[in-house]
Amino acid sequence: MHVTGTHFANRTEAGRRLAAHLGHLRGPGTVVVALPRGGVPVAAEVAAELDAPLDICVIRKLGVPYQPELGMGAIGEDGVRVLNDQVMRIAGITDEQLARVERQERAELERRARRYRGGRPPADLRGRDVVVVDDGIATGSTARAACLIVRARGAARVVLAVPVAPRDWTERLYGVADELVCVGTPSPFFAIGEFYSDFSQTGDDEVLRLLAEAHGERTRVPAEVDRELTVPAAGVRLAGRLTVPAGAVGVVVFAHGSGSSRHSPRNRHVAEHLNRSGLATLLFDLLTEAEEPDRRNVFDVGLLGARLTAVAQHLPGHPEVRDLPVGLFGASTGAAAALWTAARLGGAVRAVVSRGGRPDLAGPERLAEVTAPTLLVVGGRDGVVIDLNRQARSRLRCESELAVVPHAGHLFEEPGTLDRVSELARDWFLQYLPDPGPGTTGEPT
């Protein structure tokens, strides 16, 4: 049974209680730096109490390839890498395996950093007291990486502060920070979440809202347009739904698969995430009601691709999205249609994302013609589709990535897996859809 003093209702309460231990740091020279995502709600309370600016330090765990939940280290911004030599030795990790995992996580880290900062420059830490905050310490690898990062960025004094940690955490992190602050160090200690009544995953929306509020910015207003419509495509008229948030920076057209319609709950879930991030979406039915019963139509990539192409070409006819760059999101056989269309339209399509897709059905010639950066997302339990996606990716000549969502099946029905798909898609589209700002090349960094 845990001591009451080391149990928290949620991250907000944990942040308030942690802030009570940091009053000596209140002053104009202090900056609070959070580890996204779970550390942000905690750090927001600390920053508010200390009247200090709030920044982030993006960290990515390096998971053992065959057991991703087991961390063998962590990486952070500015090229910092911290390794757990004991885990690597026991797991028999080779240099090649480490490099492959780090390359994948580094790309994700850079996307997240761009997403969370939203164009804001990192806080100037030179000569400042920096409080690094997370929602708890488990192994300490991510906290160690964060402290090294802020130190490298010129922090005069580094304070690592968390609500809960194992009893031996000071020994694990000795020397990494000038001061270690923790509300409680209970024993036994198995996982951070056991000391929270609500330890649900912190979403990107909450991170963005808290960071915007800390910078005195307004959060995004609701959609300006959300309506049903019909779109002409190759001699038929198809039903669709167009949603355009205020200040949209791009529009994503969804290509459903396996006979799904614009009412597909999984694609609507992803679309809503994209809408909240400033991306317009068009969900429409690739087949008419009369065509849906014939299963041959579901696998007719030429038919589906021709219709998706016609719809994408028709978009400029809608004034709400006339000047917006276009991305495509395909699921199942719709992924093949999306790549078929991307090959056909060339530079008119800025980015493609496939969820549990069959990109191989687009055919080798079409795949080789795709120029839009393409992200292939598959479930870790969907072995056959993983292999098909790897084969299809080998045919692509454009920039591409294969993202495997751990513990997810083909339909991403497992808790949290569809949210992960939404985050990956959102980051990919936000990286490649918006026009580059003045003085930039538009190339990914």
Side-chain angles (χ1 to χ4, degrees), residues 2 17 53 64 190 238 250 323 422:
H2 302 302
R17 290 173 59 184
V64 171
F190 299 107
L238 303 170
D323 299 320
S422 302

Side-chain angles (χ1 to χ4, degrees), residues 29-45:
T30 297
V31 177
V32 176
V33 171
L35 276 69
R37 289 177 292 184
V40 175
V42 182
E45 296 298 321

Side-chain angles (χ1 to χ4, degrees), residues 229-234 236-241 282-285 307 310-312 314-315 318:
L229 75 170
T230 58
V231 288
V236 298
R237 297 191 67 84
L238 303 170
R241 186 171 194 87
L282 173 62
L283 290 83
F284 74 101
D285 300 340
R307 290 186 175 176
V311 170
H314 181 73
L315 275 179
H318 296 277

Side-chain angles (χ1 to χ4, degrees), residues 179-223:
E179 184 179 354
L180 301 173
V181 178
C182 185
V183 176
T185 55
S187 181
F189 186 108
F190 299 107
I192 298 171
E194 64 180 325
F195 303 102
Y196 286 82
S197 296
D198 178 6
F199 198 65
S200 55
Q201 187 179 59
T202 301
D204 274 357
D205 293 334
E206 184 177 3
V207 171
L208 294 170
R209 177 183 63 80
L210 292 170
L211 292 174
E213 290 176 356
H215 286 82
E217 301 169 1
R218 294 179 61 187
T219 53
R220 191 172 300 279
V221 298

Side-chain angles (χ1 to χ4, degrees), residues 101-171:
V101 172
E102 182 174 358
R103 187 164 52 249
Q104 179 178 342
E105 294 300 333
R106 180 70 62 184
E108 175 66 14
L109 182 147
E110 291 172 356
R111 281 199 298 272
R112 284 179 181 251
R114 282 191 295 270
R115 173 70 185 126
Y116 293 152
R117 294 198 187 282
R120 293 183 294 263
D124 186 357
L125 305 184
R126 291 173 295 180
R128 312 286 291 273
D129 289 340
V130 179
V131 186
V132 177
V133 178
D134 202 358
D135 54 12
I137 294 289
T139 64
S141 59
T142 53
R144 179 180 296 275
C147 290
L148 290 174
I149 289 170
V150 300
R151 184 84 74 186
R153 289 172 55 195
R157 177 176 173 80
V158 178
V159 178
L160 176 58
V162 293
V164 63
R167 188 157 293 179
D168 65 347
W169 83 297
T170 55
E171 298 172 17

Side-chain angles (χ1 to χ4, degrees), residues 182-351:
C182 185
V183 176
T185 55
S187 181
F189 186 108
F190 299 107
I192 298 171
E194 64 180 325
F195 303 102
Y196 286 82
S197 296
D198 178 6
F199 198 65
S200 55
Q201 187 179 59
T202 301
D204 274 357
D205 293 334
E206 184 177 3
V207 171
L208 294 170
R209 177 183 63 80
L210 292 170
L211 292 174
E213 290 176 356
H215 286 82
E217 301 169 1
R218 294 179 61 187
T219 53
R220 191 172 300 279
V221 298
E224 287 187 338
V225 176
D226 188 18
R227 64 184 176 91
E228 293 282 333
L229 75 170
T230 58
V231 288
V236 298
R237 297 191 67 84
L238 303 170
R241 186 171 194 87
L242 178 66
T243 304
V244 186
V249 296
V251 55
V252 178
V253 183
F254 279 67
H256 312 293
S258 302
S260 295
S261 72
R262 68 190 186 282
H263 301 299
S264 162
R266 282 176 287 276
N267 282 343
R268 287 174 65 89
H269 182 94
V270 175
E272 289 169 3
H273 275 256
L274 298 182
N275 296 151
R276 289 194 293 268
S277 300
L279 292 166
T281 55
L282 173 62
L283 290 83
F284 74 101
D285 300 340
L286 279 167
L287 300 173
T288 66
E289 291 185 5
E291 294 168 332
E292 287 178 1
D294 189 343
R295 294 294 296 173
R296 291 174 297 180
N297 291 326
V298 174
F299 293 94
D300 189 340
V301 175
L303 171 67
L304 303 180
R307 290 186 175 176
L308 179 59
T309 299
V311 170
Q313 291 174 320
H314 181 73
L315 275 179
H318 296 277
E320 304 96 336
V321 295
R322 179 172 295 148
D323 299 320
L324 295 181
V326 176
L328 303 176
F329 182 97
S332 190
T333 53
L339 289 164
W340 195 97
T341 296
R344 180 79 177 272
L345 296 183
V349 174
R350 295 277 190 90

